[in-house]
Amino acid sequence: MTDWTPTRDAGLAQLEAFLPRAGRQYRDRRNHDFGPEDRSNVSALSPWLAHRLVHEREVISAALAEHGPEGAEKFVQEVVWRGYFRGWLEQRPGVWHQYVDARERALMALDKDKAMRADWEAAVEGRTGIEGFDDWAQELAAHGWLHNHARMWFASIWIFTLRLPWSLGADFFLRHLMDGDAASNTLSWRWVGGLHTKGKTYLARRDNIRKYTGGRFDPEGLSDEDPIPEAAETPDPTPLPQADAEPAEALWLLTEDDLSPAPEGPVAALDGPTARSPLELGAHAAAFTRGALDDAAGRLDAARVSSVEEIVQAARDAGQDTIALRRPLAGPVADRLEGLRAAAEGAGLALHLTRDPYDAAVWPHCRKGFFAVKKQIPRLVDELEL
Ligand SMILES: Cc1cc2nc3c(=O)[nH]c(=O)nc-3n(C[C@H](O)[C@H](O)[C@H](O)COP(=O)(O)OP(=O)(O)OC[C@H]3O[C@@H](n4cnc5c(N)ncnc54)[C@H](O)[C@@H]3O)c2cc1C
């Protein structure tokens, strides 16, 4: 069983235990879902990576050191997917807001449409009668995590068999996943539904589920049609917002999106978990985020703050005239910190929104499909000295 303790030490231990299997074994076996008792064929590192208790660059470096560029190729590519989705969304932040709007409309529709509400309740409680799907719904609530293939099958059945709004499925995942990540989640749901790669959907098939679950699930009645849901037009990419330099002195603010900065000076940590939805956050997702923040804040002796006013006050208390943080990623934390610039400037403080060097190297290649960034991996490995 995976030990999901939300600390950096536990994440590093998970990495070390998985490393011997990160080479060809991962390449050949990663698509099998052996169930919650056996995650040995995948890294299960996503909750630590999503909050950056462990950084992608550490994981890539360790895999390359253990298996070399050829042996680790598939695993490294998968790790880069997270950066690809984040970089893509950073250049189209409107897609996050389109998702939030679609979710609001779908939640309102649930109040009016009793049949749809009954179908949605059956789906999230795992009572649809569809083998596998019901088990994954219950597994997600019970464990706060699902295998990638189960996520793909679940999203596909949600959209094409149950014909429920994709935004409500994305909301169910985001609320319950310990690795809940606005970019990976929103864009993966869009990808399954045919909204990310134009016209290309992912249709879950019974024989594929039977094969990759070792016969545990053999669902009948899955749709063999995949009509693409209606959605707002995908905006063209906009240039990445300029990143500010890391100041010599500042109050550093850590958020649950990126707990990796370890500055020498004063630090504050934005309390969490941040609401990811108008609906309640799942117990495992909430506990992991809270624990991750406690771990990072404890190591850096950070003050705890919960609003933009308290951030400004913490900077004053620390005698700093600059607040620095990683630019919040499109998603719930950025929405929560919307008023920070005005509050800082109103108090006569400078605000530096910085960018992690790994993100700065990866994101410019994430304007279209994954292939463009995949091609760059050998060069990125050199440039970042991984
Ligand atoms: C519908 C759907 C929703 C998803 N929602 C999320 C989410 O909210 N948060 C999240 O972290 N991942 C999400 N994913 C991506 C993926 O399922 C998980 O990152 C992966 O299953 C985590 O398991 P692992 O750590 O064992 O991955 P491994 O296979 O061991 O891969 C190592 C690391 O690479 C990264 N990675 C691997 N595959 C992907 C991928 N397809 N997309 C993005 N990063 C990837 C992750 O950081 C992962 O920890 C979603 C996928 C789908 C299909």
Side-chain angles (χ1 to χ4, degrees):
M1 282 284 274
T2 312
D3 172 11
W4 302 107
T5 302
T7 62
R8 175 166 163 76
D9 284 350
L12 292 175
Q14 177 73 11
L15 171 61
E16 198 182 311
F18 173 69
L19 263 188
R21 301 188 297 276
R24 291 185 177 82
Q25 216 177 325
Y26 174 83
R27 183 196 64 194
D28 297 340
R29 289 162 55 86
R30 70 193 175 92
N31 282 329
H32 293 268
D33 181 355
F34 299 125
E37 309 300 319
D38 180 4
R39 295 301 179 203
S40 58
N41 59 325
V42 289
S43 73
L45 280 168
S46 53
W48 292 278
L49 286 169
H51 297 287
R52 281 224 167 125
L53 271 182
V54 177
H55 198 293
E56 290 107 304
R57 62 179 304 150
E58 295 176 283
V59 172
I60 294 174
S61 294
L64 288 171
E66 181 93 3
H67 297 281
E70 265 178 49
E73 187 181 22
K74 192 69 206 171
F75 181 66
V76 170
Q77 283 170 6
E78 294 303 307
V79 175
V80 171
W81 268 98
R82 176 181 303 284
Y84 164 70
F85 280 140
R86 284 189 165 177
W88 193 96
L89 194 61
E90 284 308 294
Q91 293 174 87
R92 291 176 181 83
V95 168
W96 166 253
H97 297 111
Q98 286 176 352
Y99 156 70
V100 170
D101 290 345
R103 182 185 64 191
E104 294 312 310
R105 283 196 302 277
L107 286 171
M108 281 196 308
L110 290 181
D111 289 336
K112 295 198 190 111
D113 185 336
K114 286 207 172 83
M116 185 165 118
R117 173 170 282 277
D119 289 347
W120 170 73
E121 282 175 357
V124 298
E125 289 167 17
R127 293 186 286 101
T128 64
I130 302 175
E131 212 181 286
F133 182 92
D134 287 350
D135 303 80
W136 299 315
Q138 290 170 19
E139 184 183 331
L140 178 58
H143 295 271
W145 198 86
L146 287 179
H147 185 280
N148 181 56
H149 225 157
R151 298 183 198 207
M152 290 161 62
W153 297 319
F154 185 96
S156 178
I157 295 170
W158 180 287
I159 297 171
F160 300 123
T161 299
L162 298 172
R163 301 282 164 105
L164 282 163
W166 73 269
S167 61
L168 291 184
D171 175 67
F172 177 51
F173 269 26
L174 195 61
R175 283 187 291 119
H176 284 280
L177 284 168
M178 291 184 287
D179 61 34
D181 172 317
S184 289
N185 192 56
T186 311
L187 301 181
S188 295
W189 275 84
R190 283 172 51 94
W191 176 80
V192 170
L195 301 170
H196 185 73
T197 311
K198 246 200 164 125
K200 188 175 176 295
T201 59
Y202 175 76
L203 193 57
R205 300 206 183 268
R206 182 181 180 178
D207 55 346
N208 181 267
I209 295 176
R210 194 172 53 229
K211 174 175 171 190
Y212 286 104
T213 61
R216 282 185 303 130
F217 304 121
D218 188 15
E220 288 175 18
L222 302 189
S223 173
D224 54 15
E225 288 173 11
D226 54 355
I228 296 175
E230 272 184 34
E233 191 71 27
T234 304
D236 287 331
T238 49
L240 280 167
Q242 195 68 34
D244 297 324
E246 303 217 346
E249 271 194 59
L251 172 83
W252 261 89
L253 179 71
L254 295 184
T255 75
E256 64 203 70
D257 277 352
D258 189 343
L259 296 169
S260 66
E264 304 245 305
V267 181
L270 183 67
D271 258 337
T274 299
R276 300 178 190 172
S277 159
L279 303 181
E280 203 181 333
L281 196 57
H284 291 281
F288 195 95
T289 307
R290 208 174 289 122
L293 279 161
D294 286 347
D295 181 56
R299 273 183 279 117
L300 295 171
D301 199 18
R304 302 303 287 258
V305 290
S306 57
S307 63
V308 292
E309 293 76 21
E310 285 183 19
I311 298 167
V312 167
Q313 190 55 47
R316 285 197 176 123
D317 292 346
Q320 299 295 323
D321 54 18
T322 302
I323 299 169
L325 67 153
R326 294 280 184 242
R327 175 181 283 280
L329 304 166
V333 174
D335 293 348
R336 185 176 167 194
L337 291 180
E338 222 176 49
L340 181 57
R341 180 167 296 282
E345 286 174 359
L349 303 176
L351 183 69
H352 282 225
L353 300 179
T354 70
R355 185 164 295 139
D356 180 280
Y358 173 91
D359 297 335
V362 172
W363 289 358
H365 306 290
C366 306
R367 293 168 71 81
K368 291 188 177 161
F370 180 70
F371 184 69
V373 65
K374 183 171 141 182
K375 252 186 359 197
Q376 297 292 329
I377 291 176
R379 209 186 48 72
L380 290 168
V381 164
D382 283 347
E383 183 185 323
L384 290 163
E385 297 177 8
L386 302 174

